[in-house]
């Protein structure tokens, strides 16, 4: 796989039509190489899989056992939370015990709000993750604060002064740093200028990266995540462009944060991460599920394997339609707009469909489409890189003045059920998140795949059509204050019949009102045995005993007019 995923890519539009110069042909972004213990990422290295433990970091035996399961499943990097200096110091014991058992995979300390914990962790593990939104700045207040230019510059100088000792410590100990920006956990300074937006997330990362560059520290990885796939993909694309403009090429860690569990969690993760991997972006990935962490690794592996198949599938001739923006694509709705179509699930008159084989020449595709009247064009391909082939046809059709609805119909044969879920979600993400929003079709020879469930799940993950409740739930970590897996399942069982509603289930305040920024209502661990309820980012009930919290959530939904009785 290493040899399949190593060429360069660019987000810049191009009008070249042929082979490797076509913007539809897979090319991997060339990132700088970063050493994390015995794992190198970026450059021509294979995409590294990773996960995070959900144990208390003070539970040495439990953390070691879970880290071992992650590594045995194929995880090459393991992350653990370190909310304080005590937890950071205990990482030394976890590292020592793993080494004694023959495990050499690098460990990453996850830090929020506590620079001293980051400095302690840097002595014991191979990488430290810090969040620019809270590493130096105080906890989020969600207040609208105005900064003058002078005040803003003073804040940046304060950040640099606090970062430099940490940078020097990491240099001395050969410790890598991950800058981890999350949607909803931006500093008040960033919020004052940019709001909770993709551009604000990018600037939050760039502020720190500029400090690293000035101080000649290049052992840096970046993640910039959101639970909303549209926000996540746009933000990563913006970040790549921003780094290119300032001659930076740091490797990227990809993930859809708080993706949930089950099919929805897999679809959401594969759609967001896959859309970027198929564009050539990404050097290490973490699929974030509210399940045992070792179960994240097979999903991540299937994503990388699918990307490798696409990378080896050959060139795709074509060009972008005039005016297409590959970083922030505009929605292209054909025909008279209307609801996004789930082909094969919705009741569509077959006489209204014209099937177009996109494996033919682009000129013949245009000729067939121009003779289709106002019927819906169903675009198909038998190639492994069908998402790119179908998009090439769409771009040419739009440039030729064809205004019909265009629906890609993806096809998969000889794959397991989970392989279909991952590949279809990734391919669909590559198409749908590029602004082609008319609908989606899916066929497979695997009878275990429930297409009637999978298609709506993909469209919902792409934020195009909402058919059921969306759950934004964290995977749990050492900060989690209740059993996240059983809690998510109980809340889903009680509220999954509420279409269009987004409910966040978060284990602690760190992953609470900030990182569930896209949720309508939130269920957040407040203290041991207690839960607080949120409406958006506003806490509306504090410290409810956990055994009463679900009932109180339902009462809240009823009081807001959001509840309907299940059938």
């Amino acid at each position: 796989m290493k040899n399949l995923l190593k060429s360069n890519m660019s987000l810049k539009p191009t009008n070249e039509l042929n082979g490797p110069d076509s913007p539809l042909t897979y090319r991997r972004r060339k990132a700088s190489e970063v050493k994390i213990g015995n794992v190198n990422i970026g450059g021509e290295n294979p995409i590294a899989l990773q996960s995070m433990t959900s144990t208390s970091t003070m539970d040495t035996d439990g953390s070691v056992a879970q880290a071992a399961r992650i590594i045995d499943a194929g995880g090459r990097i393991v992350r653990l939370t370190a909310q304080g200096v005590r937890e950071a110091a205990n990482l030394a014991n976890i590292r020592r015990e793993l080494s004694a058992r023959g495990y050499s995979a690098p460990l990453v300390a996850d830090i929020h709000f506590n620079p001293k914990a980051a400095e302690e962790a840097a002595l014991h593990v191979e990488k430290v993750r810090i969040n620019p939104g809270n590493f130096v700045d105080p906890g989020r207040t969600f207040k609208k604060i105005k900064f003058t230019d002078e005040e803003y510059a003073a804040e940046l100088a304060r950040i640099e002064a606090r970062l430099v000792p940490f940078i020097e410590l990491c240099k001395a100990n050969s410790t890598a740093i991950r800058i981890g920006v999350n949607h909803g956990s931006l500093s008040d300074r960033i919020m004052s200028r940019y709001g909770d937006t993709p551009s604000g997330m990018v600037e939050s990362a760039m502020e720190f990266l500029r400090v690293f560059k000035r101080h000649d520290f290049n052992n840096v990885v970046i993640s910039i995540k959101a639970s909303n796939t549209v926000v996540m993909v746009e933000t990563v694309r913006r970040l790549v462009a921003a780094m290119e403009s300032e001659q930076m090429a740091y490797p990227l860690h990809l993930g859809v944060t708080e993706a949930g569990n089950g099919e929805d969690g897999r679809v959401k993760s594969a759609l967001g991460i896959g859309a970027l991997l198929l564009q050539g972006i990404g050097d290490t990935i973490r699929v974030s599920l509210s399940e045992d962490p070792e179960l994240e690794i097979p999903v991540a592996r299937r994503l990388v394997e699918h990307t490798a198949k696409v990378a080896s599938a050959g060139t795709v001739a074509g060009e972008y339609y005039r005016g297409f923006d590959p970083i922030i694509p505009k929605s292209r709705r054909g025909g008279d707009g209307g609801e996004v179509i789930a082909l094969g699930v919705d009741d569509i008159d077959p006489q209204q469909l014209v099937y177009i084989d996109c494996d033919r020449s682009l000129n013949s595709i245009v000729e067939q489409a121009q003779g289709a009247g106002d019927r819906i064009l169903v675009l198909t391909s038998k190639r492994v890189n069908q998402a790119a082939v179908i998009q090439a046809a769409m771009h040419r059709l739009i440039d030729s003045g064809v205004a019909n609805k265009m629906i890609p119909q993806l096809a998969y044969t000889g794959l397991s059920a989970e392989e279909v879920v991952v590949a279809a979600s990734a391919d669909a993400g590559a198409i749908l998140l590029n602004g082609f929003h008319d609908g989606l079709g899916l066929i497979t020879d695997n009878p275990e795949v429930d297409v009637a469930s999978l298609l709506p799940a993909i469209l919902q993950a792409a934020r195009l059509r909402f058919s059921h409740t969306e759950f934004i739930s964290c995977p749990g970590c050492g900060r989690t204050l209740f059993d996240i897996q059983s809690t998510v399942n109980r809340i889903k069982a009680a509220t999954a019949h509420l279409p269009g509603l987004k409910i966040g289930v978060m284990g602690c305040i760190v992953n609470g009102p900030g990182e569930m920024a896209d949720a309508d209502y939130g269920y957040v661990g407040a203290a041991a045995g207690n839960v607080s309820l949120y409406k958006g980012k506003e806490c509306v009930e504090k410290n409810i005993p956990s055994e009463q919290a679900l009932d109180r959530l339902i009462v809240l939904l009823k009081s807001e007019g959001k509840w309907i009785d299940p059938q």
Side-chain angles (χ1 to χ4, degrees), residues 298-561:
V299 186
R301 182 187 299 111
R302 290 187 174 99
L303 262 174
V304 172
E305 290 172 347
H306 179 64
T307 304
K309 290 178 182 178
V310 170
S312 64
T315 60
V316 178
E319 62 178 330
Y320 295 146
Y321 68 77
R322 285 169 295 218
F324 177 74
D325 184 343
I327 299 175
I328 315 172
K330 293 181 180 178
S331 173
R332 188 273 174 190
R333 295 295 303 277
D336 57 357
E339 187 173 31
V340 175
I341 295 170
L343 192 64
V345 175
D346 296 338
D347 186 16
I348 305 293
D349 182 357
Q351 298 300 315
Q352 293 299 310
L353 306 177
V354 174
Y355 285 81
I356 294 181
D357 178 5
C358 296
D359 295 333
R360 299 177 297 131
S361 72
L362 292 173
N363 288 338
S364 65
I365 290 169
V366 171
E367 184 177 349
Q368 182 184 0
Q370 289 175 337
D374 61 357
R375 290 182 289 174
I376 297 170
L377 308 181
V378 181
L379 306 178
T380 68
S381 170
K382 292 184 175 65
R383 292 178 61 178
V384 171
N385 51 354
Q386 58 185 313
V389 173
I390 289 172
Q391 285 186 88
M394 289 174 154
H395 282 283
R396 176 60 70 86
L397 290 169
I398 293 170
D399 239 0
S400 300
V402 174
N404 302 55
K405 281 183 176 291
M406 301 179 198
I407 300 180
Q409 180 167 272
L410 303 172
Y412 302 92
T413 59
L415 300 182
S416 70
E418 186 157 281
E419 285 172 333
V420 173
V421 169
V422 169
S425 300
D427 287 340
I431 298 171
L432 299 174
L433 298 184
N434 274 341
F436 300 109
H437 293 167
D438 293 330
L440 184 68
L442 174 63
I443 56 175
T444 176
D445 64 351
N446 190 326
E448 296 180 5
V449 177
D450 184 355
V451 173
S453 169
L454 179 55
L455 259 182
I458 290 173
L459 292 174
Q460 178 154 316
R463 292 300 198 270
L464 294 177
R465 174 170 161 174
F466 292 89
S467 55
H468 54 281
T469 314
E470 180 170 351
F471 295 94
I472 301 168
S473 61
C474 71
C477 68
R479 299 183 299 264
T480 302
L481 298 169
F482 51 77
D483 183 338
I484 193 74
Q485 294 182 34
S486 63
T487 301
V488 170
N489 289 333
R490 285 192 298 108
I491 293 175
K492 287 182 76 170
T495 62
H497 63 289
L498 304 172
L501 201 63
K502 297 188 286 292
I503 297 177
V505 185
M506 299 294 170
C508 72
I509 195 65
V510 169
N511 287 329
E515 295 182 23
M516 63 173 195
D518 201 42
D520 301 308
Y521 297 91
Y523 180 110
V524 180
N530 291 300
V531 169
S532 293
L533 298 181
Y534 284 74
K535 178 182 177 183
K537 293 179 179 179
E538 179 185 358
C539 182
V540 293
E541 288 195 62
K542 293 183 178 180
N543 298 320
I544 305 165
S546 57
E547 63 272 13
Q548 302 175 20
L550 177 55
D551 289 339
R552 299 278 277 275
L553 174 62
I554 293 172
V555 169
L556 174 62
L557 295 176
K558 288 180 176 179
S559 71
E560 295 280 325

Side-chain angles (χ1 to χ4, degrees), residues 145-180:
I145 300 174
K146 293 184 178 180
F147 287 79
T148 65
D149 290 345
E150 292 76 13
E151 289 170 335
Y152 201 98
E155 286 287 297
L156 294 180
R158 182 174 65 87
I159 287 171
E160 183 161 2
R162 187 63 187 87
L163 264 179
V164 168
F166 178 57
I167 290 172
E168 295 303 320
L169 181 66
C170 290
K171 281 183 181 179
N173 288 275
S174 300
T175 307
I177 298 174
R178 169 154 75 95
I179 296 301

Side-chain angles (χ1 to χ4, degrees), residues 59-314:
D59 177 4
T60 301
D61 291 342
S63 297
V64 167
Q66 199 170 77
R69 291 197 297 273
I70 292 170
I71 298 166
D72 289 342
R76 301 190 65 207
I77 301 171
V78 178
R79 181 159 47 115
L80 305 95
T81 189
Q83 59 266 52
V85 172
R86 187 176 67 127
E87 289 82 2
N90 198 55
L91 291 169
N93 295 322
I94 295 170
R95 169 77 281 164
R96 188 178 305 112
E97 183 60 28
L98 280 168
S99 297
R101 298 187 188 187
Y103 291 100
S104 60
L107 303 183
V108 183
D110 191 74
I111 307 293
H112 291 270
F113 302 110
N114 198 332
K116 291 184 178 180
E119 291 166 345
E120 178 68 26
L123 302 175
H124 310 300
V125 297
E126 290 80 4
K127 183 168 71 171
V128 177
R129 178 270 173 116
I130 60 175
N131 184 341
N134 58 40
F135 182 71
V136 177
D137 294 294
R140 301 178 298 272
T141 62
F142 303 115
K143 294 179 180 178
K144 292 184 178 179
I145 300 174
K146 293 184 178 180
F147 287 79
T148 65
D149 290 345
E150 292 76 13
E151 289 170 335
Y152 201 98
E155 286 287 297
L156 294 180
R158 182 174 65 87
I159 287 171
E160 183 161 2
R162 187 63 187 87
L163 264 179
V164 168
F166 178 57
I167 290 172
E168 295 303 320
L169 181 66
C170 290
K171 281 183 181 179
N173 288 275
S174 300
T175 307
I177 298 174
R178 169 154 75 95
I179 296 301
V181 178
N182 282 354
H183 186 215
S185 64
L186 302 179
S187 67
D188 285 337
R189 179 187 65 264
I190 290 290
M191 292 285 286
S192 74
R193 292 284 175 95
Y194 301 93
D196 199 1
T197 62
S199 59
M201 295 169 69
V202 169
E203 183 60 21
S204 182
M206 293 299 291
E207 285 181 352
F208 274 53
L209 292 179
R210 292 176 190 124
V211 175
F212 290 137
K213 187 175 180 180
R214 278 196 295 273
H215 293 272
D216 195 29
F217 184 82
N218 298 309
N219 216 26
V220 179
V221 181
I222 316 161
S223 67
I224 194 157
K225 299 184 181 182
S227 65
N228 181 320
T229 58
V230 177
V231 171
M232 175 261 193
V233 169
E234 178 188 331
T235 304
V236 173
R237 287 170 171 170
R238 282 175 176 262
L239 177 62
V240 170
M243 284 198 292
E244 285 183 356
S245 72
E246 298 191 29
Q247 292 75 54
M248 300 176 185
Y250 300 112
L252 288 164
H253 166 130
L254 301 183
V256 176
T257 190
E258 334 300 4
N261 65 2
E263 181 180 73
D264 282 348
R266 284 159 174 77
V267 167
K268 196 173 182 181
S269 289
L271 187 138
I273 298 171
L276 291 165
L277 288 180
L278 294 180
Q279 194 178 352
I281 297 173
D283 303 287
T284 179
I285 64 173
R286 190 257 173 119
V287 170
S288 178
L289 300 175
S290 300
E291 301 178 16
D292 292 340
E294 63 267 24
L295 299 181
E296 298 176 349
I297 300 299
V299 186
R301 182 187 299 111
R302 290 187 174 99
L303 262 174
V304 172
E305 290 172 347
H306 179 64
T307 304
K309 290 178 182 178
V310 170
S312 64

